[in-house]
Amino acid sequence: MSLKSTERTEVNTVEMVFEVGPEQFEEAIEKAYQRVRKNISVPGFRKGKVTRKMAEMRLGEGVFYEEALNLLINDELTPELMKAEFELVDRPSVDAEKISKEEGVVFKAICITKPDVKMENYKGIKASKSVHEVTDADVDAQVELLRQRNARLVSVDDRAAQIGDEVNIDFEGFFGDEAFDGGKGEQFPLKLGSGQFIPGFEDQIVGKTIGEEFDVVVTFPENYQMEDYAGKEATFKCKLNGITVEELPEADDEFIQDSTEFETLAAFKENAKAELQKNAERDAETAFDNAIMEALIAMVDVPIPNVMYEHRLDALVSNFENMLKEQGMSLDLYLQYTGMDIEDFRDQNRDRAESEVKLRLALEKIADLEKIEISDEELNASLQPVADANHMPVEEVKRRIPLADYILDLRVSKALELVKANAEITDEAPAEEKAE
């Protein structure tokens, strides 16, 4: 097989034409015959005993062409494509333009290629690494959360209901004089001010006392999920059965001893402040990393083959499906619960896929520009945990994984670390923190 021509027909698209001589085509036909002969059936011959000449006479001269072409594509053309100076991002589309025993075969391969990304100014990216200063108010908020988690409900019978109370009510809804479906409840717990019921309902319970019977008149919203009720005025006949309030424990040493592993309130606060500080530093590092990656993504402004986005979406779907399996759920069941189909799910993740493809292209280019390599020591060290977890030597792990892809992943990781190390760190707070 020989390469006849190479032509870039579109952006990220290359057309390659290959020729196969008649002798090589004949060899492929014979090989195809030998591969399928055991399955050939011709009247008058036992299965598997039909000669090639007889098969071609009875079934047509080109009976073995398809198998022969597949052999040539897999054994000859594919290795030739791997030698090309460009990198393929999808399986090439291959057509046989001419097929002749006398003249051989002409193949045309349409190849989608990896885009040539131009990366400049990736050193010196400005990014914030501002760490939120933990205040006494932040620490007090942690104490308040602990108090709320340990709150207990206490009955109240000496006053009327207020916003913030949890009340117990009976109710039945009517349109005019006719009760409607789904509008009845008994001993129903409702926190006033939660917005759980139709707007205006909870406000009309405020001021009522235990045992009191009363009407609540409300209008269903125009966009109510039950269309027959939307926009209608309803009267709910109600009875207030009980009122409870949250009682928070005192924030003192005894409370801390009962609810945590600490002996004093001061010790709890000291630990809370240290934990909040660690979280703030981690959040700042994450925001810094995200800013770096967003800047790199923005630098990729060349056309990118859509198939690269689709492949990344395939991977995201597969990863999510595997995560669901670990939780005992199938992707189909998840989609049913969420009211989506697979295309909705893919569309939901399309922006993420596009960003990840661009970031990967940027970092691969930087790894090339910086001539980043992975030493044997680095490779072995990164694989050692995998080897230990599977009780096998590192060399065995290397044989079992797509090593070239793994090494590229390591190069990409080092490229990101290089960009971060050369970034210009600012103390300016991120935009979202300023807005707060």
Side-chain angles (χ1 to χ4, degrees):
M1 178 175 289
S2 60
L3 177 61
K4 183 179 179 182
S5 65
T6 300
E7 180 183 0
R8 187 168 291 278
T9 56
E10 298 177 34
V11 177
N12 303 319
T13 304
V14 173
E15 179 184 289
M16 303 180 75
V17 177
F18 295 87
E19 288 185 332
V20 175
E23 298 82 5
Q24 190 176 13
F25 186 37
E26 168 58 30
E27 291 173 5
I29 295 172
E30 178 61 24
K31 190 175 180 180
Y33 162 69
Q34 295 297 337
R35 177 172 291 192
V36 303
R37 63 180 297 180
K38 63 183 178 182
N39 298 319
I40 301 174
S41 178
V42 172
F45 291 84
R46 284 188 299 162
K47 192 173 183 178
K49 298 298 182 179
V50 181
T51 65
R52 174 182 161 187
K53 183 175 181 181
M54 182 56 65
E56 289 175 335
M57 288 177 59
R58 294 288 186 92
L59 302 175
E61 183 182 82
V63 63
F64 303 116
Y65 282 8
E66 183 176 355
E67 182 70 19
L69 294 174
N70 287 334
L71 288 170
L72 287 169
I73 291 170
N74 293 330
D75 299 344
E76 302 291 336
L77 190 145
T78 299
E80 288 294 324
L81 289 173
M82 294 302 103
K83 297 177 187 176
E85 60 185 17
F86 48 78
E87 184 177 342
L88 300 180
V89 297
D90 195 28
R91 187 181 181 88
S93 172
V94 180
D95 288 319
E97 291 200 313
K98 183 175 73 173
I99 306 173
S100 167
K101 275 191 175 182
E102 293 74 23
E103 299 181 30
V105 182
V106 175
F107 286 109
K108 179 192 284 185
I110 306 298
C111 306
I112 307 300
T113 63
K114 179 180 175 180
D116 184 17
V117 178
K118 307 295 183 185
M119 293 301 296
E120 300 175 349
N121 304 319
Y122 55 84
K123 291 181 180 179
I125 294 173
K126 291 184 179 181
S128 170
K129 212 172 190 178
S130 173
V131 180
H132 170 72
E133 182 180 350
V134 177
T135 65
D136 290 343
D138 295 328
V139 175
D140 290 342
Q142 294 300 302
V143 176
E144 189 63 22
L145 283 174
L146 184 63
R147 293 179 69 207
Q148 290 174 1
R149 284 200 294 268
N150 288 273
R152 64 191 184 99
L153 290 175
V154 178
S155 295
V156 174
D157 57 12
D158 59 351
R159 64 168 174 78
Q162 300 174 359
I163 291 294
D165 291 345
E166 183 166 301
V167 296
N168 182 290
I169 58 172
D170 299 335
F171 61 87
E172 185 172 14
F174 294 83
F175 291 135
D177 295 328
E178 185 176 347
F180 56 82
D181 291 340
K184 185 174 183 179
E186 295 181 351
Q187 301 292 317
F188 190 92
L190 173 65
K191 184 161 186 174
L192 300 184
S194 65
Q196 183 179 351
F197 273 26
I198 301 165
F201 188 102
E202 296 167 24
D203 293 337
Q204 296 179 55
I205 300 176
V206 173
K208 303 300 187 291
T209 56
I210 295 173
E212 185 175 352
E213 297 183 4
F214 53 93
D215 289 347
V216 169
V217 180
V218 292
T219 301
F220 282 90
E222 293 292 343
N223 60 348
Y224 195 67
Q225 64 267 28
M226 299 177 68
E227 293 182 1
D228 290 344
Y229 295 0
K232 285 187 177 181
E233 184 179 271
T235 298
F236 286 86
K237 296 189 176 299
C238 303
K239 180 181 179 181
L240 180 60
N241 301 315
I243 303 171
T244 55
V245 295
E246 280 189 348
E247 185 176 86
L248 301 179
E250 284 294 322
D252 54 22
D253 291 348
E254 183 179 354
F255 164 62
I256 292 298
Q257 291 168 14
D258 290 342
S259 55
T260 74
E261 71 274 23
F262 298 97
E263 291 296 320
T264 66
L265 176 60
F268 174 81
K269 286 186 173 183
E270 182 180 355
N271 181 75
K273 186 169 186 176
E275 289 298 318
L276 288 171
Q277 189 62 46
K278 277 195 278 187
N279 291 341
E281 291 170 1
R282 185 174 59 248
D283 290 346
E285 189 68 35
T286 299
F288 173 74
D289 290 353
N290 289 340
I292 293 293
M293 291 187 286
E294 287 173 7
L296 291 173
I297 290 168
M299 292 179 188
V300 179
D301 61 356
V302 298
I304 297 174
N306 189 63
V307 69
M308 296 186 72
Y309 297 144
E310 294 301 321
H311 287 335
R312 186 58 197 153
L313 275 170
D314 292 341
L316 291 176
V317 170
S318 178
N319 293 341
F320 187 73
E321 187 170 16
N322 290 335
M323 183 194 73
L324 289 175
K325 284 180 181 177
E326 292 176 1
Q327 299 173 359
M329 180 183 287
S330 70
L331 180 59
D332 286 343
L333 188 58
Y334 171 83
L335 294 174
Q336 289 178 32
Y337 283 157
T338 57
M340 292 190 292
D341 60 25
I342 190 62
E343 287 308 315
D344 292 331
F345 183 79
R346 290 175 73 88
D347 287 343
Q348 191 179 77
N349 286 275
R350 195 166 297 278
D351 287 345
R352 175 185 171 185
E354 293 184 4
S355 292
E356 290 182 1
V357 168
K358 289 179 179 180
L359 179 62
R360 179 74 179 202
L361 287 170
L363 291 173
E364 286 182 5
K365 185 65 174 182
I366 293 169
D368 290 341
L369 292 171
E370 296 291 335
K371 298 181 171 54
I372 293 175
E373 299 296 340
I374 304 300
S375 67
D376 290 341
E377 291 78 11
E378 289 175 308
L379 177 60
N380 291 341
S382 70
L383 289 173
Q384 191 63 57
V386 180
D388 292 343
N390 290 278
H391 308 290
M392 63 176 65
V394 167
E395 293 303 318
E396 180 64 22
V397 176
K398 290 179 183 178
R399 286 191 287 271
R400 295 188 178 211
I401 64 172
L403 192 57
D405 291 341
Y406 183 80
I407 291 173
L408 180 57
D409 288 344
L410 293 179
R411 293 180 67 227
V412 162
S413 295
K414 287 184 74 173
L416 179 57
E417 292 305 314
L418 180 147
V419 174
K420 288 165 59 178
N422 286 275
E424 183 180 331
I425 299 175
T426 68
D427 292 328
E428 185 177 353
E432 59 270 21
E433 189 172 317
K434 286 183 187 177
E436 294 175 4

